[in-house]
Amino acid sequence: MDIKRLLYSTEDGICTVTINNPDALNALNSLIINELGFVFDKIAKDDSILVVIITGAGRSFVAGADISEMADMDQIEGELFGARGALLFRKIETLSKPVIAAINGFALGGGCELAMACDIRIASQKAKFGQPEVSLGITPGFSGTVRLPKLIGNSMAKEMIFTGKIIDANEALRVGLINSVVEPHDLMTKALEMAKMIASNAPVAVRYSKEAINYALENRTETAAEFETRLFAKCFSTEDQKEGMKAFLEKRKPRFKNR
Ligand code: COA
């Protein structure tokens, strides 16, 4: 596939994906949704990639789904468009490697929803967040009503979605929407630092941890605890568990092999 609106490259196991349509503030149109799906499928299959960072080119992370594309849609087209966005974000949420959103600017509508589908959100002081869909006559369409209450609680999620208000990065941090706020020029350095810390750990253990947390968020405590026990047990059949514990006892750094 000829990728037109994304830049992506991998170094030391860390793949950086940049949405690159800055003139339209990286609004998500069908092309970008397709390209992200394609690239995330490739990332899923590539064992050399341990962590993903996603960011936007220019002054925006993603300023929402593309309003010019949605303006003339009918109900069926709206459903197809919403379903494609929702599937893409679920793919990112369930990717077998951690995804860090490095939020450089506007994260509105589909942009806020994309950030929420990632595992960790680091924002620039310049970032702005919101779900302004109701001001356009629609609900959030890429699972914003599903993930926002889980992240920031029912009351705050309803306030953000019903008012459509835009909040700055400090407020997003205060309400628990993001992990941290950094100076704009430090954003990618901080995201890379975190990605490297994650990549230095046993990849299988990181992957199982993500799976277990996602499962626990969607299931009963007892079932989730059993699920964690199974993954915990499976770690003992990996070379990396032997290496990690041996290295600790030998007072040296482990050399993990992702197996
Ligand atoms: N869909 C399509 N195009 C968008 C867009 C979106 N969600 N967000 C921004 N753009 C386009 C603008 O139409 C404009 O294009 P133009 O230069 O061809 O006119 C360009 O990006 C720059 O945006 P502009 O509005 O001129 O920048 P600004 O700094 O004045 O305002 C925003 C920035 C983000 C506040 C404003 O663009 C905005 O409110 N965007 C829509 C946000 C939204 O409602 N998202 C949810 C969609 S469901």
Side-chain angles (χ1 to χ4, degrees):
M1 186 174 181
D2 182 21
I3 301 290
K4 294 192 172 70
R5 294 291 183 212
L6 304 179
L7 306 169
Y8 64 105
S9 61
T10 303
E11 208 179 314
D12 298 332
I14 298 161
C15 178
T16 303
V17 179
T18 306
I19 302 174
N20 187 30
N21 194 17
D23 289 347
L25 303 185
N26 303 321
L28 293 177
N29 55 28
S30 292
L31 177 74
I32 296 179
I33 291 173
N34 283 348
E35 291 189 354
L36 280 168
F38 178 82
V39 166
F40 272 89
D41 281 343
K42 273 182 68 162
I43 290 171
K45 287 185 208 128
D46 187 339
D47 283 344
S48 73
I49 297 176
L50 301 175
V51 184
V52 182
I53 298 174
I54 182 160
T55 191
R59 66 192 175 98
S60 177
F61 177 66
V62 166
D66 190 325
I67 298 169
S68 54
E69 188 175 333
M70 289 187 293
D72 293 324
M73 284 181 186
D74 61 20
Q75 185 171 344
I76 293 175
E77 290 163 332
E79 181 158 1
L80 286 173
F81 188 63
R84 278 161 62 204
L87 274 177
L88 169 68
F89 290 2
R90 183 66 177 160
K91 184 181 291 195
I92 293 172
E93 184 171 57
T94 57
L95 186 80
S96 58
K97 353 196 157 205
V99 184
I100 300 171
I103 304 152
N104 50 303
F106 296 113
L108 304 178
C112 190
E113 292 170 315
L114 170 59
M116 290 191 290
C118 298
D119 298 298
I120 290 165
R121 287 156 287 281
I122 304 178
S124 145
Q125 281 285 2
K126 288 188 176 163
K128 299 261 189 274
F129 299 82
Q131 297 286 161
E133 288 90 344
V134 293
S135 72
L136 297 163
I138 54 173
T139 65
F142 297 165
S143 313
T145 63
V146 181
R147 294 196 179 94
L148 194 59
K150 286 188 187 164
L151 270 174
I152 69 173
N154 195 19
S155 301
M156 285 306 297
K158 283 180 174 165
E159 182 177 325
M160 279 188 71
I161 291 173
F162 297 170
T163 63
K165 70 179 181 181
I166 309 295
I167 61 173
D168 66 18
N170 290 327
E171 178 65 358
L173 181 66
R174 193 187 70 78
V175 298
L177 180 53
I178 57 176
N179 295 61
S180 57
V181 183
V182 301
E183 290 300 325
H185 59 269
D186 281 339
L187 179 65
M188 290 316 286
T189 313
K190 295 288 180 195
L192 269 169
E193 259 175 38
M194 188 178 292
K196 281 183 186 156
M197 264 183 92
I198 296 170
S200 72
N201 292 318
V204 177
V206 171
R207 183 164 85 237
Y208 287 171
S209 299
K210 174 169 173 172
E211 258 181 65
I213 293 168
N214 282 355
Y215 189 91
L217 287 169
E218 293 164 9
N219 289 278
R220 291 172 56 239
T221 302
E222 288 82 357
T223 332
E226 283 165 16
F227 187 79
E228 187 202 72
T229 303
R230 279 202 298 281
L231 293 180
F232 173 72
K234 276 171 78 173
C235 292
F236 291 86
S237 68
T238 65
E239 287 180 31
D240 284 350
Q241 176 269 329
K242 302 285 173 274
E243 166 62 10
M245 296 194 178
K246 193 161 178 270
F248 175 83
L249 296 172
E250 290 171 1
K251 303 191 189 305
R252 62 171 174 82
K253 276 193 179 306
R255 287 180 293 271
F256 292 123
K257 293 183 179 151
N258 196 4
R259 36 178 208 256

